[in-house]
PDB file of all heavy atoms in Angstrom:
ATOM      1  N   CYS A   8      -9.694 -68.595  25.766  1.00 97.00           N
ATOM      2  CA  CYS A   8      -9.669 -69.702  24.845  1.00 97.00           C
ATOM      3  C   CYS A   8      -8.189 -69.998  24.369  1.00 97.00           C
ATOM      4  O   CYS A   8      -7.733 -71.123  24.329  1.00 97.00           O
ATOM      5  CB  CYS A   8     -10.561 -69.281  23.680  1.00 97.00           C
ATOM      6  SG  CYS A   8     -10.698 -70.538  22.365  1.00 97.00           S
ATOM      7  N   ARG A   9      -7.524 -68.895  23.955  1.00 96.00           N
ATOM      8  CA  ARG A   9      -6.128 -69.033  23.447  1.00 96.00           C
ATOM      9  C   ARG A   9      -5.196 -69.686  24.480  1.00 96.00           C
ATOM     10  O   ARG A   9      -4.415 -70.529  24.171  1.00 96.00           O
ATOM     11  CB  ARG A   9      -5.574 -67.664  23.033  1.00 96.00           C
ATOM     12  CG  ARG A   9      -4.305 -67.677  22.299  1.00 96.00           C
ATOM     13  CD  ARG A   9      -4.280 -68.251  20.905  1.00 96.00           C
ATOM     14  NE  ARG A   9      -3.008 -68.746  20.513  1.00 96.00           N
ATOM     15  CZ  ARG A   9      -2.686 -70.070  20.465  1.00 96.00           C
ATOM     16  NH1 ARG A   9      -3.611 -71.052  20.814  1.00 96.00           N
ATOM     17  NH2 ARG A   9      -1.615 -70.448  20.006  1.00 96.00           N
ATOM     18  N   GLU A  10      -5.240 -69.228  25.719  1.00 96.00           N
ATOM     19  CA  GLU A  10      -4.423 -69.740  26.726  1.00 96.00           C
ATOM     20  C   GLU A  10      -4.693 -71.221  27.066  1.00 96.00           C
ATOM     21  O   GLU A  10      -3.893 -72.011  27.316  1.00 96.00           O
ATOM     22  CB  GLU A  10      -4.574 -68.865  28.014  1.00 96.00           C
ATOM     23  CG  GLU A  10      -3.543 -69.034  29.089  1.00 96.00           C
ATOM     24  CD  GLU A  10      -2.088 -68.749  28.659  1.00 96.00           C
ATOM     25  OE1 GLU A  10      -1.852 -68.053  27.776  1.00 96.00           O
ATOM     26  OE2 GLU A  10      -1.223 -69.354  29.299  1.00 96.00           O
ATOM     27  N   THR A  11      -6.056 -71.464  27.007  1.00 96.00           N
ATOM     28  CA  THR A  11      -6.418 -72.947  27.201  1.00 96.00           C
ATOM     29  C   THR A  11      -5.858 -73.736  26.201  1.00 96.00           C
ATOM     30  O   THR A  11      -5.224 -74.832  26.443  1.00 96.00           O
ATOM     31  CB  THR A  11      -7.936 -72.940  27.199  1.00 96.00           C
ATOM     32  OG1 THR A  11      -8.561 -72.138  28.206  1.00 96.00           O
ATOM     33  CG2 THR A  11      -8.450 -74.440  27.471  1.00 96.00           C
ATOM     34  N   GLU A  12      -5.934 -73.303  25.023  1.00 97.00           N
ATOM     35  CA  GLU A  12      -5.332 -74.102  23.798  1.00 97.00           C
ATOM     36  C   GLU A  12      -3.812 -74.300  23.930  1.00 97.00           C
ATOM     37  O   GLU A  12      -3.391 -75.378  23.749  1.00 97.00           O
ATOM     38  CB  GLU A  12      -5.698 -73.264  22.398  1.00 97.00           C
ATOM     39  CG  GLU A  12      -7.106 -73.377  22.014  1.00 97.00           C
ATOM     40  CD  GLU A  12      -7.455 -72.421  20.929  1.00 97.00           C
ATOM     41  OE1 GLU A  12      -6.724 -71.469  20.689  1.00 97.00           O
ATOM     42  OE2 GLU A  12      -8.494 -72.650  20.306  1.00 97.00           O
ATOM     43  N   LYS A  13      -3.128 -73.198  24.263  1.00 96.00           N
ATOM     44  CA  LYS A  13      -1.678 -73.285  24.509  1.00 96.00           C
ATOM     45  C   LYS A  13      -1.390 -74.341  25.491  1.00 96.00           C
ATOM     46  O   LYS A  13      -0.361 -75.168  25.381  1.00 96.00           O
ATOM     47  CB  LYS A  13      -1.175 -71.974  24.926  1.00 96.00           C
ATOM     48  CG  LYS A  13      -0.797 -70.997  23.830  1.00 96.00           C
ATOM     49  CD  LYS A  13       0.217 -69.947  24.273  1.00 96.00           C
ATOM     50  CE  LYS A  13      -0.493 -68.554  24.274  1.00 96.00           C
ATOM     51  NZ  LYS A  13       0.208 -67.498  24.985  1.00 96.00           N
ATOM     52  N   ARG A  14      -2.092 -74.243  26.599  1.00 96.00           N
ATOM     53  CA  ARG A  14      -1.702 -75.184  27.712  1.00 96.00           C
ATOM     54  C   ARG A  14      -2.039 -76.657  27.439  1.00 96.00           C
ATOM     55  O   ARG A  14      -1.324 -77.511  27.816  1.00 96.00           O
ATOM     56  CB  ARG A  14      -2.357 -74.643  29.080  1.00 96.00           C
ATOM     57  CG  ARG A  14      -1.697 -73.415  29.497  1.00 96.00           C
ATOM     58  CD  ARG A  14      -2.403 -72.669  30.637  1.00 96.00           C
ATOM     59  NE  ARG A  14      -1.926 -71.311  30.735  1.00 96.00           N
ATOM     60  CZ  ARG A  14      -2.022 -70.664  31.891  1.00 96.00           C
ATOM     61  NH1 ARG A  14      -2.467 -71.172  32.901  1.00 96.00           N
ATOM     62  NH2 ARG A  14      -1.515 -69.352  31.904  1.00 96.00           N
ATOM     63  N   MET A  15      -3.162 -76.742  26.743  1.00 96.00           N
ATOM     64  CA  MET A  15      -3.456 -78.110  26.294  1.00 96.00           C
ATOM     65  C   MET A  15      -2.369 -78.717  25.368  1.00 96.00           C
ATOM     66  O   MET A  15      -2.025 -79.809  25.428  1.00 96.00           O
ATOM     67  CB  MET A  15      -4.783 -78.151  25.499  1.00 96.00           C
ATOM     68  CG  MET A  15      -6.019 -77.890  26.352  1.00 96.00           C
ATOM     69  SD  MET A  15      -6.707 -79.253  27.182  1.00 96.00           S
ATOM     70  CE  MET A  15      -7.405 -80.115  25.810  1.00 96.00           C
ATOM     71  N   GLU A  16      -1.980 -77.853  24.432  1.00 96.00           N
ATOM     72  CA  GLU A  16      -1.038 -78.227  23.467  1.00 96.00           C
ATOM     73  C   GLU A  16       0.344 -78.581  24.176  1.00 96.00           C
ATOM     74  O   GLU A  16       0.924 -79.621  23.660  1.00 96.00           O
ATOM     75  CB  GLU A  16      -0.804 -77.046  22.496  1.00 96.00           C
ATOM     76  CG  GLU A  16      -0.182 -77.483  21.151  1.00 96.00           C
ATOM     77  CD  GLU A  16      -0.091 -76.256  20.259  1.00 96.00           C
ATOM     78  OE1 GLU A  16      -1.030 -75.447  20.224  1.00 96.00           O
ATOM     79  OE2 GLU A  16       1.010 -76.133  19.671  1.00 96.00           O
ATOM     80  N   ARG A  17       0.643 -77.814  25.121  1.00 96.00           N
ATOM     81  CA  ARG A  17       1.947 -78.140  25.831  1.00 96.00           C
ATOM     82  C   ARG A  17       1.934 -79.504  26.535  1.00 96.00           C
ATOM     83  O   ARG A  17       2.903 -80.088  26.805  1.00 96.00           O
ATOM     84  CB  ARG A  17       2.293 -77.031  26.777  1.00 96.00           C
ATOM     85  CG  ARG A  17       2.797 -75.770  26.178  1.00 96.00           C
ATOM     86  CD  ARG A  17       3.645 -74.922  27.022  1.00 96.00           C
ATOM     87  NE  ARG A  17       2.982 -74.363  28.165  1.00 96.00           N
ATOM     88  CZ  ARG A  17       2.379 -73.173  28.224  1.00 96.00           C
ATOM     89  NH1 ARG A  17       2.560 -72.252  27.213  1.00 96.00           N
ATOM     90  NH2 ARG A  17       1.808 -72.686  29.239  1.00 96.00           N
ATOM     91  N   LEU A  18       0.624 -79.971  26.950  1.00 96.00           N
ATOM     92  CA  LEU A  18       0.419 -81.269  27.544  1.00 96.00           C
ATOM     93  C   LEU A  18       0.230 -82.335  26.524  1.00 96.00           C
ATOM     94  O   LEU A  18       0.119 -83.566  26.963  1.00 96.00           O
ATOM     95  CB  LEU A  18      -0.756 -81.203  28.496  1.00 96.00           C
ATOM     96  CG  LEU A  18      -0.582 -80.330  29.763  1.00 96.00           C
ATOM     97  CD1 LEU A  18      -1.900 -80.122  30.475  1.00 96.00           C
ATOM     98  CD2 LEU A  18       0.343 -80.972  30.711  1.00 96.00           C
TER      99      LEU A  18
END
Side-chain angles (χ1 to χ4, degrees):
C8 179
R9 186 70 204 106
E10 192 61 25
T11 303
E12 290 168 338
K13 270 200 250 171
R14 293 173 192 205
M15 290 278 285
E16 203 178 313
R17 286 204 293 262
L18 289 168

